[in-house]
Amino acid sequence: MIEIVKKEDCCGCKGCSQICPKQCISMYEDVEGFLYPKVDKEACIDCHLCEKVCPVLHQGEPRKTQRVYAAKNMDDEIRVASSSGGVFTLLAELVIESGGVVFGARFNDRWEVIHDYTETKEGLTVFRGSKYVQSYIGDCFGIAKTFLESGRKVLFSGTPCQIAGLKLFLRKEYANLLTVDFICHGVPSPKIWRMYLNETISRQCEKFHSSDGKGILIEDVSFRNKCSGWKKFSFTLTFSRFKGNGLKKSISLSEVFKKNIFMKGFLSNLYLRPSCYSCPSKGFKSGSDVTLGDFWGSEKILPFFDDDLGISVVMVNSNNGNFYMENVRDRLALYQVRTEDVLCHNSCLVESVVPHINRHDFFSDYEKGVLVAMGKQFKQSFVHNVIFKIVSTSKRIIGK
């Protein structure tokens, strides 16, 4: 049976609980807000399927990508609504046009990030844009398998570890499956995200004298708003404030990512899942057909191509991925580039990030108030910042 001794040995893909024939594996949230499996030993029949589908226990072999592109969706409206160059939408539309199904991450009505699927092009809207929170996968592996077994095409998008978990869960290759992962920095805690939103809204309630919280309603969350451009993207929170006369006024809180406290915590590796610091699926080990990401550094490599609306890096990892890319290339502006061009500004493709030096301290006192705990960590001394940069740089050098 699956038994998690060290937190870094579980990426939370939920493959073990989904495949259990006795449904005796439940997922429990720990103090940091991440889900881990717990086995009902009385019901377990020792079939060991849970172990066989674990992407940490059964890591894939590193692969060499076939082709690498810098790409832009020719529809600027879709590109602006996307985090990068809008390539995911084209691949997804192609699958849906053939009667297929697309899986991706979206917000639910409580602004938590969950995995879901759509069978319509209109349904793709909620999957666009990055969500910097670990998604709850639910029963999506099993649902995807049902669609695949019925002969329908399926595009499944997710983090590299989620794709690795899906591939192990399926236990065989499917010609009608297209898997798409992305260059992943790591996944923040869903609990920290919940607390951040709740405390932010509470502050707005205090500001507008709405003590019961009913006067404030979140309408939209964007981690990668391009109002100031793709390179200086903003975290944007849009909410409605209801006045005493019943009228609604929409208000937008927007901060460039370097100033938003949640994004600062994410990018400084303060509250990522422990497995993200030793990711089992880096370096094309996930088995994905296509890897997407931001083509950072494009202004140096392809200055004539960079308009600051977003450029995707597309890494084609299989013949299946190449087939789909060939079928959407007439709707893309793209240039073939080298893997080295991507690695220069996207080390997360092959390297795990280094934990924030004060991660333990943060999780020791965050329950008193996450905004205060975040602010405390970003008042570090100059020495702490220097140590963190030295450790990060040393790891990159050693990794080479």
Side-chain angles (χ1 to χ4, degrees):
M1 70 180 71
I2 202 84
E3 190 171 358
I4 307 303
V5 178
K6 296 186 295 183
K7 293 292 179 70
E8 59 264 33
D9 289 339
C10 174
C11 59
C13 72
K14 206 172 176 281
C16 56
S17 66
Q18 293 186 72
I19 205 166
C20 178
K22 290 296 182 178
Q23 297 182 327
C24 65
I25 302 178
S26 302
M27 302 296 289
Y28 289 88
E29 186 176 276
D30 74 345
V31 68
E32 294 184 352
F34 297 107
L35 295 177
Y36 292 90
K38 185 176 181 180
V39 181
D40 179 350
K41 296 181 180 180
E42 294 297 322
C44 178
I45 59 174
D46 287 323
C47 66
H48 300 290
L49 285 176
C50 56
E51 298 168 9
K52 292 177 181 177
V53 302
C54 177
V56 176
L57 294 177
H58 302 282
Q59 298 183 23
E61 291 295 323
R63 297 183 301 165
K64 185 176 181 180
T65 191
Q66 293 185 6
R67 291 190 178 116
V68 185
Y69 298 104
K72 297 189 295 191
N73 192 319
M74 291 182 180
D75 186 330
D76 283 347
E77 186 175 340
I78 290 177
R79 190 154 59 106
V80 169
S82 305
S83 291
S84 306
V87 176
F88 166 78
T89 295
L90 292 179
L91 295 172
E93 287 179 342
L94 185 63
V95 170
I96 287 176
E97 286 166 4
S98 65
V101 185
V102 174
F103 287 78
R106 70 170 179 86
F107 292 111
N108 64 13
D109 57 2
R110 296 184 298 277
W111 297 101
E112 299 163 327
V113 182
I114 63 170
H115 249 70
D116 201 356
Y117 69 90
T118 184
E119 301 175 73
T120 68
K121 289 184 180 180
E122 293 75 19
L124 295 174
T125 303
V126 295
F127 295 153
R128 289 193 196 114
S130 299
K131 287 93 177 170
Y132 295 128
V133 185
Q134 181 163 36
S135 68
Y136 178 69
I137 206 78
D139 298 321
C140 283
F141 288 179
I143 297 171
K145 183 177 182 180
T146 300
F147 283 127
L148 291 168
E149 294 286 355
S150 69
R152 295 182 68 178
K153 290 184 178 179
V154 171
L155 185 159
F156 201 103
S157 62
T159 62
C161 59
Q162 287 174 334
I163 297 302
L166 170 68
K167 303 277 279 189
L168 288 166
F169 175 90
L170 294 174
R171 304 177 71 191
K172 73 173 187 178
E173 295 295 326
Y174 286 84
N176 49 331
L177 172 65
L178 174 67
T179 51
V180 179
D181 64 3
F182 52 87
I183 302 173
C184 183
H185 180 92
V187 289
S189 162
K191 183 177 182 180
I192 298 302
W193 168 243
R194 289 196 304 268
M195 292 182 67
Y196 168 78
L197 266 189
N198 289 338
E199 290 184 25
T200 299
I201 291 303
S202 292
R203 288 191 176 186
Q204 292 303 314
C205 289
E206 292 174 5
K207 180 179 178 181
F208 295 114
H209 309 291
S210 176
S211 59
D212 59 2
K214 294 181 180 179
I216 302 292
L217 179 68
I218 298 175
E219 290 188 344
D220 186 50
V221 175
S222 175
F223 288 97
R224 295 284 300 274
N225 187 288
K226 296 178 181 177
C227 57
S228 300
W230 168 53
K231 299 182 189 69
K232 293 183 179 180
F233 62 87
S234 299
F235 173 88
T236 303
L237 172 62
T238 304
F239 61 91
S240 294
R241 179 168 67 90
F242 292 89
K243 300 180 180 180
N245 57 9
L247 295 177
K248 182 176 76 171
K249 180 180 181 181
S250 291
I251 300 172
S252 183
L253 301 177
S254 183
E255 292 178 299
V256 175
F257 71 96
K258 291 182 179 180
K259 295 185 178 180
N260 177 262
I261 199 163
F262 182 86
M263 291 298 295
K264 285 169 70 175
F266 162 55
L267 293 172
S268 65
N269 317 326
L270 183 59
Y271 33 74
L272 304 184
R273 189 179 183 97
S275 61
C276 295
Y277 305 116
S278 55
C279 177
S281 304
K282 294 285 186 187
F284 307 104
K285 290 163 65 178
S286 71
S288 68
D289 297 301
V290 176
T291 298
L292 300 176
D294 293 282
F295 191 17
W296 300 127
S298 57
E299 69 278 8
K300 298 177 181 178
I301 299 167
L302 297 171
F304 58 89
F305 197 53
D306 180 24
D307 57 5
D308 205 28
L309 290 181
I311 302 175
S312 293
V313 55
V314 183
M315 312 194 84
V316 181
N317 308 323
S318 69
N319 292 335
N320 188 39
N322 187 57
F323 170 81
Y324 279 92
M325 278 301 296
E326 287 299 313
N327 278 274
V328 299
R329 67 181 301 147
D330 62 332
R331 289 183 278 174
L332 286 168
L334 79 169
Y335 286 89
Q336 191 161 351
V337 295
R338 304 172 304 162
T339 301
E340 291 77 11
D341 296 330
V342 179
L343 282 172
C344 286
H345 300 275
N346 264 309
S347 62
C348 285
L349 183 64
V350 295
E351 298 173 0
S352 298
V353 295
V354 178
H356 191 285
I357 194 169
N358 290 334
R359 186 182 187 280
H360 176 76
D361 292 341
F362 170 78
F363 278 109
S364 295
D365 66 1
Y366 80 96
E367 290 186 327
K368 301 173 186 176
V370 75
L371 291 176
V372 172
M374 287 175 177
K376 179 180 177 182
Q377 298 310 320
F378 298 122
K379 292 179 180 178
Q380 300 174 73
S381 68
F382 174 76
V383 174
H384 279 175
N385 283 322
V386 170
I387 291 173
F388 178 74
K389 289 180 180 179
I390 291 174
V391 172
S392 300
T393 304
S394 298
K395 183 170 182 181
R396 286 197 295 271
I397 293 172
I398 293 171
K400 294 177 182 178

